[in-house]
Amino acid sequence: MSRRKRLVVKVGSSLLANSDLLTPRFGFMQRLLEDIARLRADGYDVILCSSGAVALGMNLVGEKPETAGLSDKQAAAACGMPLLLNAYKQVAHEYGFEIAQILLTLGDFEDHRRFLNTKNTVHRLLESGIMPIVNENDTITTEEIKVGDNDRLAAKIAQMVEAKDFIILTGVDGLYDRNPSEEGAQLVEELQDVSEYLEATTGTSTLGTGGMLTKLQAANMAQNAGCTTYIANGEADRPLSSVLRKERACTKCIAHKEPASGWSNWLSDRLQMAGSLVLKDEAAARLDDGVAIKRDDIVSMDGDFTRGDVLHIYDGEGIERARGLTDFTSEETRILVNNLDIPAETLLGYKSRAEIIRPNNIVVLETRHLLWDAPSGVSAD
């Protein structure tokens, strides 16, 4: 394994694209890649997660960010991606290193085989001294299959490569204890529990899809993998190294001292909810004992999922207790749950224990995880 330190950097659209002209901000890109070159020389492997393609393509399709629909944004992404990558390539060559592009969709993170394939590609590029530039494939994604924001996408990359540090560059100095426009707002310089500040995170930029909420969600995902997150203003001469060397104000989200395994992180830190189960109280109480979730444990369910999807597990009070990899489709699960008096073999056509989720495929959530609200109106019918 490489002894080089791993750093994941996420850059938002507002830093990369001029908000009025919707053209590349070459001055910022020069400062960013110059600093990356400096860090590479100091022993860092850097993975850049970059927004900006949609914003840079808006002029070419004759649209504005505030009025563009999904198809407009898809077309803008197709036009803007070559502009963005060409700009990065030109600047990177000035500082003597190569770049590569990796475009991902939700399935590349939620399907474990595709997740591992992506991981192998990233590692191979790093072995060759090439900086991967990762982005969601906005040209083909729809609302149903979108990651939705590059903050959490970047956090999944940080988990994937076992990064030590994760820097989110944005247009403000970091997280504030309330809306920064309010009088008396104070910068939160360090925190361990991001849930304490979720109520202070409303609002997004006109060019991007993520606000401070998604940045805290991303920080939580990175924390679980033992990665420290910094939320910092990108408008600095050395936007990355000045953060790592504690030379300017930012928000530091401290990594957990005992990170979970890669498998547990993949199971527990989701980007979208494929489906959910509500368990009987006694079954929910047994989750800590490492037992399977069986069909007679289930009160209700929600979602159309396939075998191998990760389901969110709730107790009767609607509190999320665990996440787990299902052995059955939603259709098979409904049949099993609604016909408890009929043997599973008769219902399915093959021999089965009717364990919806096996014990080794369940992760019981701890206080360090951000919980998801249960879907309303769940039913097994």
Side-chain angles (χ1 to χ4, degrees), residues 226-277:
C227 178
T228 296
T229 300
Y230 302 86
I231 304 172
N233 197 322
E235 302 290 4
D237 289 337
R238 293 179 292 107
L240 305 175
S241 58
S242 60
V243 169
L244 295 174
R245 294 169 184 170
K246 303 178 182 179
E247 295 174 358
R248 63 188 178 100
C250 66
T251 296
K252 179 181 180 180
C253 304
I254 301 172
H256 293 302
K257 293 181 180 179
E258 298 181 2
S261 67
W263 173 247
S264 294
N265 283 325
W266 181 81
L267 274 176
S268 61
D269 286 328
R270 313 307 297 160
L271 297 172
Q272 281 193 10
M273 186 186 296
S276 64
L277 304 175

Side-chain angles (χ1 to χ4, degrees), residues 89-358:
K89 193 171 188 68
Q90 288 184 48
V91 179
H93 278 183
E94 292 183 30
Y95 297 106
F97 64 93
E98 295 288 342
I99 65 167
Q101 180 187 48
I102 300 178
L103 294 177
L104 302 173
T105 63
L106 180 69
D108 296 312
F109 291 103
E110 306 293 69
D111 182 280
H112 197 248
R113 184 181 63 177
R114 290 162 65 181
F115 179 85
L116 293 178
N117 287 339
T118 303
K119 179 178 180 178
N120 291 338
T121 298
V122 172
H123 279 289
R124 184 63 186 86
L125 290 170
L126 294 176
E127 287 173 4
S128 297
I130 299 169
M131 184 181 74
I133 298 180
V134 184
N135 191 12
E136 184 166 13
N137 193 347
D138 292 311
T139 298
I140 65 169
T141 52
T142 61
E143 293 301 327
E144 291 77 16
I145 63 171
K146 280 183 70 67
V147 173
D149 62 88
N150 276 345
D151 296 320
R152 294 182 305 143
L153 180 150
K156 292 297 289 185
I157 295 294
Q159 289 184 339
M160 178 185 291
V161 303
E162 299 177 3
K164 178 179 181 292
D165 297 297
F166 173 35
I167 299 178
I168 302 176
L169 294 181
T170 184
V172 294
D173 289 335
L175 170 71
Y176 286 80
D177 60 356
R178 69 196 80 173
N179 191 313
S181 62
E182 293 183 20
E183 184 178 352
Q186 297 291 317
L187 179 70
V188 180
E189 296 187 355
E190 191 171 283
L191 74 160
Q192 291 181 322
D193 184 1
V194 302
S195 64
E196 297 178 5
Y197 294 94
L198 293 182
E199 292 184 2
T201 60
T202 57
T204 63
S205 72
T206 57
L207 291 181
T209 56
M212 194 57 68
L213 173 60
T214 63
K215 290 169 178 54
L216 289 190
Q217 291 171 335
N220 179 251
M221 294 165 67
Q223 285 177 310
N224 293 338
C227 178
T228 296
T229 300
Y230 302 86
I231 304 172
N233 197 322
E235 302 290 4
D237 289 337
R238 293 179 292 107
L240 305 175
S241 58
S242 60
V243 169
L244 295 174
R245 294 169 184 170
K246 303 178 182 179
E247 295 174 358
R248 63 188 178 100
C250 66
T251 296
K252 179 181 180 180
C253 304
I254 301 172
H256 293 302
K257 293 181 180 179
E258 298 181 2
S261 67
W263 173 247
S264 294
N265 283 325
W266 181 81
L267 274 176
S268 61
D269 286 328
R270 313 307 297 160
L271 297 172
Q272 281 193 10
M273 186 186 296
S276 64
L277 304 175
V278 175
L279 304 186
K280 298 175 182 176
D281 289 341
E282 56 269 28
R286 291 197 303 268
L287 287 172
D288 289 320
D289 299 330
V291 298
I293 296 175
K294 299 182 178 180
R295 59 173 174 159
D296 54 356
D297 293 329
I298 298 171
V299 175
S300 59
M301 58 181 287
D302 183 76
D304 294 317
F305 49 85
T306 62
R307 187 177 186 273
D309 279 344
V310 175
L311 306 184
H312 294 236
I313 314 302
Y314 297 86
D315 61 21
E317 299 297 319
I319 298 173
E320 190 179 14
R321 301 289 298 275
R323 292 170 193 168
L325 196 74
T326 176
D327 274 354
F328 297 96
T329 67
S330 53
E331 182 180 3
E332 291 170 332
T333 304
R334 286 189 178 90
I335 291 172
L336 289 168
V337 171
N338 290 326
N339 298 278
L340 295 178
D341 55 336
I342 302 176
E345 183 174 354
T346 302
L347 294 171
L348 298 173
Y350 57 88
K351 191 173 182 179
S352 172
R353 295 182 180 178
E355 293 180 345
I356 308 303
I357 305 179
R358 287 175 284 172

